[in-house]
């Protein structure tokens, strides 16, 4: 790899270019690494691979903190190499998921806006090395990130040492899109001066003491494409229900056609639902989100979205080529911020976001499980969904009404793990319809959820459970000994449907 000095504008840093192997050799057993990377975007790619290679020769373990999930199979390789002691705040890799659920490593499932506060307060110990992907290092040592900001600025500012990976495959046109703002310590800070999704409040890069930059590595590898499945018939129907709900909000005088800044979570379902807005009457939309997936760029292309604020851009292969191949078309419509700012409760509440995230399951009272399959096995993590749900003007959760060929009902008597309580959930949407839960008591929510959202195969079962629960009374009636019986049936018989094992559930 040729060293390009225009990418390292600080002359004294030009001599610090090293190989990934050399940089990886500085990392010691027990250290904590703060890696750039958020939902497969802007992750460091060379030093992690070198670390995995090193693990073939010697035993060591490190703590791995990131923005969110990593691409390039890094989480899988880390898990296979067995070098992770503790991982936070999010991951989405099947191999690492297995290691976590086997108890081979620790995983801290953290609200994505919280990591910054905990690091800043020193709660999780020092960050020994921040390793961040960059477009360039400026003369004053300012690091210009690539396709995500995530926690990169936080790690770089608070780490003892920094390794920069300059990725020549990332478009230099990204420079100027970032807006890096440091809130400062809790108890000592003023209001964050951001009042619209378009506001710039910080600097174009991460301001660090150049002396902390211990090494610079050159790479040339694109981000991993997203793994989302493109919209299908069911998700289109779901999008239709969500649009109907929003139209009714306009009729009620709570919004006009520009709605409010939109946040849409990760995954195929959230992407598809946003995609459904392309043929709608909504216009001049703004996005204030964490990740921008394909749908946001489709909406920009369709002239529906005027502006999007995010902390990462994660696209399918085809979309990545189109967007980064003609980035001059998009760059003045985008701002990329640290995840602490994209997910900050103060801003989310101030802007009055409409927030759309995905549930694995929700219960008849509106408690949402986004993370734990059958209450025990970690899927990905809560990500930013809690940051948004608790603070948004409208917290909307979407999911298909069934999973695994209809053997799982996503609407259950009692959610087996609750990420978003009934107090934080405004609207739930499935392909069957939507239930607007705002202002309703638990007993008022049940008929709406069962009738509007549950799959016909499971309605009768849900009603039977609720009728029995009503006999026990309470603000939130339950039959405690049967509350998880559907999940038990699933574990024992491979289905939540009663006819396969009537005795166990009734
Ligand atoms: N029980 C067990 N498995 C379930 C399930 C349930 N109730 N509901 C869905 N699944 C399975 C699906 O079958 C699918 O499995 P597969 O990968 O083996 O095919 C998988 O979960 C993903 O479901 P899918 O319907 O494709 O949805 P998705 O891609 O939109 O992902 C979440 C859904 C919940 C996993 C994902 O949105 C997530 O991790 N959310 C939490 C983080 C978050 O919301 N962040 C938002 C801020 S960015």
């Amino acid at each position: 790899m040729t060293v390009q000095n225009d990418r390292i504008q600080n002359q004294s840093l030009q001599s610090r270019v090293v190989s990934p192997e050399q940089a990886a050799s500085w990392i010691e057993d027990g250290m904590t690494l703060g890696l750039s990377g958020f939902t497969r975007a802007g992750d460091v790619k060379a030093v992690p691979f070198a670390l995995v290679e090193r693990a073939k020769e010697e035993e060591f373990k490190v703590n791995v903190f990131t923005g969110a999930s990593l691409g390039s199979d890094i989480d899988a390789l880390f898990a296979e190499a067995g070098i992770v002691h503790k991982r936070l705040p999010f991951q989405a890799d099947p191999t690492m998921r297995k290691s976590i659920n086997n108890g081979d490593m620790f995983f801290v499932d953290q609200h994505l806006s919280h990591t910054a506060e905990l690091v800043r307060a020193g709660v999780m110990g020092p960050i020994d090395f921040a390793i961040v992907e960059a477009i360039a290092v400026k003369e004053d040592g300012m690091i210009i990130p690539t396709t995500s900001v995530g926690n990169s600025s936080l790690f770089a500012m608070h780490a003892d040492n920094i390794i920069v990976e300059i990725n020549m495959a990332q478009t230099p046109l990204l420079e100027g899109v970032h807006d890096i703002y440091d809130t400062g310590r809790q108890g000592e800070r003023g209001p964050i001066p951001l009042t619209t999704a378009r506001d710039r409040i910080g600097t174009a890069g991460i301001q660090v003491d150049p002396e902390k930059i211990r090494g610079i590595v050159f790479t040339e590898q694109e981000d991993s494409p997203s793994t989302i499945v493109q919209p299908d018939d069911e998700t289109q129907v779901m999008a239709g229900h969500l649009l109907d709900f929003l139209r009714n909000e306009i009729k009620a005088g709570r919004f006009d056609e520009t709605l409010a800044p939109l946040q849409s979570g990760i995954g195929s379902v959230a992407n598809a639902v946003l995609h459904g807005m392309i043929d709608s009457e909504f216009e001049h939309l703004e996005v204030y989100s964490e990740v921008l997936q394909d749908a946001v760029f489709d909406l920009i292309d369709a002239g529906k979205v005027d502006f999007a604020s995010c902390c990462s851009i994660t696209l399918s292969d085809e979309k990545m080529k189109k967007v980064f191949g003609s980035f001059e078309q998009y760059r003045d419509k985008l701002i990329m911020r640290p995840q602490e700012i994209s997910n900050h409760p103060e801003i989310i509440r101030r802007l009055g976001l409409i927030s759309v995230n995905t549930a694995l399951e929700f219960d008849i009272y509106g408690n949402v499980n986004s993370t734990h399959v059958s209450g025990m096995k970690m899927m990905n993590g809560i990500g930013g969904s809690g940051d948004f749900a608790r603070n948004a003007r409208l917290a909307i959760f979407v999911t298909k009404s069934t999973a695994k060929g209809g053997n799982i009902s996503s609407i259950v008597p009692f959610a087996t793990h609750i990420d978003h309580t009934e107090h934080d959930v405004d609207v739930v949407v499935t392909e069957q319809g939507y239930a607007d839960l705002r202002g309703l008591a638990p007993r008022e929510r049940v008929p709406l959820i069962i009738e509007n959202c549950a799959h016909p195969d499971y309605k009768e079962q849900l009603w039977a459970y609720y009728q029995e629960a009503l006999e026990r009374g309470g603000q939130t009636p339950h039959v405690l000994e049967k509350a998880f019986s559907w999940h038990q049936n699933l574990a024992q018989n491979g289905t939540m449907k009663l006819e396969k094992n009537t005795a166990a559930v009734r």
Side-chain angles (χ1 to χ4, degrees):
M1 177 67 54
T2 6
V3 173
Q4 298 223 352
N5 288 345
D6 58 327
R7 298 298 187 102
I8 311 175
Q9 292 171 10
N10 179 311
Q11 281 206 344
S12 66
L13 291 177
Q14 287 172 1
S15 59
R16 299 200 194 160
V17 174
V18 293
S19 68
E21 293 72 26
Q22 196 175 344
S25 73
W26 300 329
I27 291 159
E28 293 167 22
D29 184 37
M31 280 186 165
T32 295
L33 312 180
L35 306 186
S36 70
F38 195 104
T39 51
R40 305 164 78 80
D43 44 4
V44 274
K45 298 163 177 83
V47 180
F49 284 130
L51 262 185
V52 170
E53 282 305 306
R54 225 185 96 191
K56 291 177 183 162
E57 311 298 326
E58 64 181 291
E59 271 190 30
F60 63 90
K61 279 195 192 286
V62 288
N63 299 316
V64 178
F65 299 179
T66 59
S69 56
L70 300 174
S72 313
D73 284 334
I74 292 166
D75 273 330
L77 294 168
F78 275 178
E80 276 163 9
I83 59 172
V84 181
H85 170 67
K86 185 178 280 182
R87 176 84 174 86
L88 64 82
F90 187 81
Q91 64 76 46
D93 177 79
T95 308
M96 183 166 274
R97 187 179 296 152
K98 217 169 168 185
S99 290
I100 292 167
N101 290 323
N102 284 344
D104 296 336
M105 55 179 276
F106 293 115
F107 174 57
V108 183
D109 183 18
Q110 212 166 51
H111 291 301
L112 296 189
S113 74
H114 282 191
T115 312
E117 304 287 17
L118 294 169
V119 166
R120 207 177 271 119
V123 172
M124 298 186 298
I127 307 283
D128 298 294
F129 275 91
I131 315 180
V132 296
E133 186 176 90
I135 300 289
V137 181
K138 309 302 276 185
E139 205 166 339
D140 58 0
M142 181 185 275
I143 300 167
I144 309 294
T146 61
T147 43
S148 70
V149 178
N151 278 321
S152 303
S153 48
L154 174 94
F155 294 148
M157 287 171 195
H158 292 272
D160 296 338
N161 303 280
I162 302 170
I163 298 168
V164 179
E165 282 195 7
I166 295 183
N167 187 345
M168 302 301 285
Q170 300 277 26
T171 172
L173 291 176
L174 280 161
E175 186 171 343
V177 168
H178 311 94
D179 186 51
I180 310 298
Y181 179 84
D182 183 28
T183 60
R185 291 172 65 85
Q186 280 182 309
E188 298 169 8
R189 68 174 71 138
I192 299 169
L194 196 154
T195 53
T196 76
R198 297 165 188 250
D199 288 354
R200 287 197 158 273
I201 58 173
T203 53
I206 306 168
Q207 199 72 67
V208 294
D209 172 3
E211 281 316 303
K212 283 207 314 189
I213 301 180
R214 179 135 171 223
I216 299 177
V217 170
F218 274 80
T219 64
E220 189 159 11
Q221 187 184 330
E222 286 176 352
D223 284 342
S224 306
S226 76
T227 52
I228 53 165
V229 178
Q230 292 308 316
D232 60 21
D233 290 349
E234 270 188 338
T235 51
Q236 276 170 18
V237 173
M238 228 183 274
H241 295 315
L242 181 67
L243 297 184
D244 286 346
F245 164 75
L246 294 173
R247 286 184 185 114
N248 286 335
E249 286 296 284
I250 293 174
K251 276 191 210 135
R254 288 189 274 270
F255 296 102
D256 63 21
E257 272 75 15
T258 63
L259 297 173
L262 301 168
Q263 177 266 333
S264 151
I266 56 153
S268 311
V269 175
N271 182 65
V273 167
L274 211 55
H275 198 267
M277 288 193 156
I278 282 192
D279 297 320
S280 72
E281 67 278 32
F282 303 113
E283 54 185 8
H284 300 301
L285 299 169
E286 284 186 346
V287 171
Y288 191 86
S289 201
E290 224 178 56
V291 192
L292 301 185
Q293 302 190 118
D294 286 19
V296 171
F297 289 90
D298 289 334
L299 288 168
I300 292 177
D301 290 344
K304 292 283 179 191
V305 163
D306 291 349
F307 197 85
S309 166
C310 66
C311 83
S312 88
I313 300 176
T314 305
L315 303 172
S316 65
D317 201 18
E318 195 190 333
K319 203 49 140 190
M320 201 160 24
K321 287 193 175 73
K322 179 172 185 298
V323 168
F324 293 120
S326 53
F327 200 62
E328 57 290 343
Q329 279 178 39
Y330 297 101
R331 60 195 302 276
D332 62 339
K333 298 184 178 67
L334 299 173
I335 286 186
M336 225 183 279
R337 310 179 188 279
Q339 70 198 66
E340 184 180 19
I341 303 299
S342 62
N343 292 30
H344 204 287
E346 177 189 335
I347 314 291
I348 295 167
R349 187 70 74 95
R350 181 180 296 143
L351 299 185
L353 300 196
I354 298 176
S355 172
V356 183
N357 290 290
T358 312
L360 280 176
E361 65 180 6
F362 57 85
D363 66 29
I364 53 174
Y365 297 109
N367 297 292
V368 168
N369 174 9
S370 292
T371 55
H372 285 68
V373 173
S374 284
M376 289 174 288
K377 293 205 166 166
M378 174 55 63
M379 178 61 108
N380 298 327
I382 192 167
S385 57
D387 293 324
F388 290 103
R390 169 62 59 89
N391 301 295
R393 176 176 349 189
L394 272 175
I396 302 171
F397 280 90
V398 294
T399 182
K400 293 183 182 180
S401 69
T402 61
K404 304 295 175 205
N407 283 317
I408 294 178
S409 172
S410 308
I411 293 88
V412 291
F414 203 161
T416 47
H417 176 94
I418 296 173
D419 295 292
H420 313 293
T421 73
E422 51 160 337
H423 313 286
D424 293 335
V425 178
D426 294 320
V427 182
V428 284
V429 186
T430 70
E431 80 290 349
Q432 302 294 323
Y434 73 82
D436 179 359
L437 309 177
R438 291 172 299 171
L440 300 185
R443 289 179 190 227
E444 292 179 291
R445 290 178 217 143
V446 177
L448 277 186
I449 290 178
I450 298 180
E451 285 307 316
N452 296 4
C453 298
H455 191 277
D457 287 357
Y458 289 98
K459 278 188 185 173
E460 204 186 314
Q461 278 182 227
L462 286 166
W463 276 120
Y465 176 85
Y466 182 54
Q467 298 300 347
E468 193 177 342
L470 279 176
E471 288 166 23
R472 310 260 173 121
Q475 158 80 355
T476 309
H478 270 297
V479 188
L480 287 182
E481 68 277 17
K482 291 186 182 172
F484 298 139
S485 59
W486 292 28
H487 298 87
Q488 278 173 338
N489 193 17
L490 177 67
Q492 283 159 14
N493 306 304
T495 180
M496 287 184 173
K497 284 187 187 147
L498 279 179
E499 66 266 29
K500 298 268 168 62
N501 188 3
T502 311
V505 185
R506 281 211 197 272

